[in-house]
Amino acid sequence: MGRKKLENGGSGHLGPSPKVESTRVEFNRAAARALDILTVFNAGDQFLGNAEIAERTGIPKSTVSRITATLSEMGYLNYSTAIGQYEIGPRVLALSFSLMSKLQLHTHARQQMNDLAREANAVVGLSILDDLSVVFIDTAVGDHAHFRRAQVGYRIPIALTTMGWACLSAMNSTERIRALERIGRAYPDDPKVLENIQRGIAEVWERGFCISMGLFDPGSNAVGVPYLHPDGRHILAFNLTAPKTVLTRKSIETKWGPGLLSLVQDVQRLGQHSPFAGMRPATTVSPEEVKKQR
């Protein structure tokens, strides 16, 4: 399934605006395009051709062809001569090794995630903020087979999900205003997007978690909690999701939302990480304030 083209490309996140690029002399457009191509592969994509990559990214096909050939030579993409298309190569795995080794959060959280997933008969996920997406780095699944595990590396938009709203709530006010401006430009015909985001942020600041009732997946409900890494440079989020018949609003508000928040607080203590959940930032930014900044 193709991704929505946003600003400089459609690689699942919003790239720097043209204005930002022109004022940053260190910005390398070729390198940025290569990275956009690497991140354009969805979880369900084994192979993509240059034409589809160009369609998803907005990069001219001739440029895509040169970049994919280079990435193939370097091992970041594999080329199938039989079908004339590319797949992600094993060298990409090395890019995440340093980050995952540094974070170590998934190792601290895995047992608690497994316990909560079984207790709630749900899926518990852990993701990290990446521009205007979150990327899953671990998941735990309850005992029932009808739950689908989000694969490591799977990307979802912050605008539409509890994980994303949780991450937005943990940003400083300047970062949040910029993110909301870009989201507003990406969804100009859907004011509900910003309204839902603001509601989610307010819920996190008020009680430590935010709720989505079928907004991302009409058949499922979800709850999210933010996690600010102690290095101050990485924002993460936990979520719990399940079919509506399993995860009702009442059960989220009374049991599973507080349960997910408790998990995050336990992980903070075990891993000696700095807490965020329940801490209200000093500045609330409403959609109206964002419009004034434009």
Side-chain angles (χ1 to χ4, degrees):
M1 180 174 65
R3 298 181 183 178
K4 181 180 178 68
K5 290 184 182 179
L6 303 175
E7 291 186 356
N8 286 351
S11 58
H13 57 85
L14 295 177
S17 68
K19 182 177 180 181
V20 173
E21 286 188 22
S22 65
T23 58
R24 290 172 51 202
V25 295
E26 76 277 12
F27 187 88
N28 187 292
R29 188 176 181 83
R33 284 176 161 179
L35 292 172
D36 269 345
I37 287 172
L38 288 177
T39 57
V40 82
F41 287 79
N42 288 316
D45 297 324
Q46 182 174 357
F47 289 98
L48 292 177
N50 287 328
E52 188 168 4
I53 293 173
E55 171 64 24
R56 293 188 181 189
T57 61
I59 300 171
K61 185 181 175 182
S62 59
T63 303
V64 168
S65 299
R66 293 194 298 271
I67 295 174
T68 53
T70 302
L71 291 173
S72 179
E73 287 289 331
M74 298 181 67
Y76 292 105
L77 293 176
N78 290 334
Y79 181 70
S80 170
T81 55
I83 60 175
Q85 295 184 336
Y86 293 90
E87 65 177 349
I88 290 293
R91 195 170 184 185
V92 170
L93 294 174
L95 297 176
S96 64
F97 177 76
S98 177
L99 175 62
M100 295 296 288
S101 296
K102 181 185 73 169
L103 290 176
Q104 287 295 310
L105 179 56
H106 58 299
T107 59
H108 294 301
R110 184 168 292 123
Q111 186 58 55
Q112 289 88 342
M113 291 171 64
N114 287 334
D115 292 344
L116 182 60
R118 286 193 295 267
E119 182 185 359
N121 190 21
V123 178
V124 177
L126 170 61
S127 67
I128 186 167
L129 179 66
D130 178 24
D131 197 50
L132 293 189
S133 298
V134 291
V135 181
F136 277 84
I137 59 177
D138 204 1
T139 56
V141 183
D143 295 331
H144 288 258
H146 61 265
F147 294 131
R148 183 175 61 184
R149 179 193 299 266
Q151 298 297 315
V152 174
Y154 181 61
R155 302 170 67 88
I156 56 176
I158 64 172
L160 308 176
T161 60
T162 57
M163 279 184 160
W165 305 342
C167 288
L168 284 162
S169 74
M171 292 179 182
N172 64 49
S173 59
T174 300
E175 291 173 336
R176 189 164 49 252
I177 286 173
R178 290 173 180 168
L180 291 174
E181 287 177 338
R182 295 169 68 197
I183 291 170
R185 291 196 296 269
Y187 300 92
D189 301 321
D190 192 353
K192 286 288 186 181
V193 170
L194 281 178
E195 292 176 14
N196 290 332
I197 291 172
Q198 190 60 31
R199 175 183 52 77
I201 292 172
E203 287 178 347
V204 173
W205 292 351
E206 183 177 332
R207 55 187 174 186
F209 58 87
C210 57
I211 299 172
S212 171
M213 303 299 291
L215 292 177
F216 184 66
D217 179 352
S220 300
N221 296 333
V223 56
V225 175
Y227 187 98
L228 184 63
H229 196 272
D231 65 10
R233 297 190 303 275
H234 296 99
I235 298 175
L236 301 99
F238 289 81
N239 81 335
L240 186 148
T241 183
K244 292 180 177 181
T245 54
V246 175
L247 201 61
T248 65
R249 176 174 285 278
K250 182 176 180 181
S251 68
I252 293 174
E253 292 177 339
T254 60
K255 186 171 185 179
W256 303 123
L260 186 65
L261 179 58
S262 178
L263 178 153
V264 175
Q265 292 169 339
D266 287 345
V267 171
Q268 288 161 354
R269 287 190 290 269
L270 288 173
Q272 298 181 348
H273 290 282
S274 301
F276 171 80
M279 295 171 57
R280 181 182 176 118
T283 304
T284 302
V285 182
S286 67
E288 290 72 22
E289 290 176 286
V290 173
K291 292 177 183 178
K292 293 177 183 178
Q293 297 291 326
R294 294 180 182 176

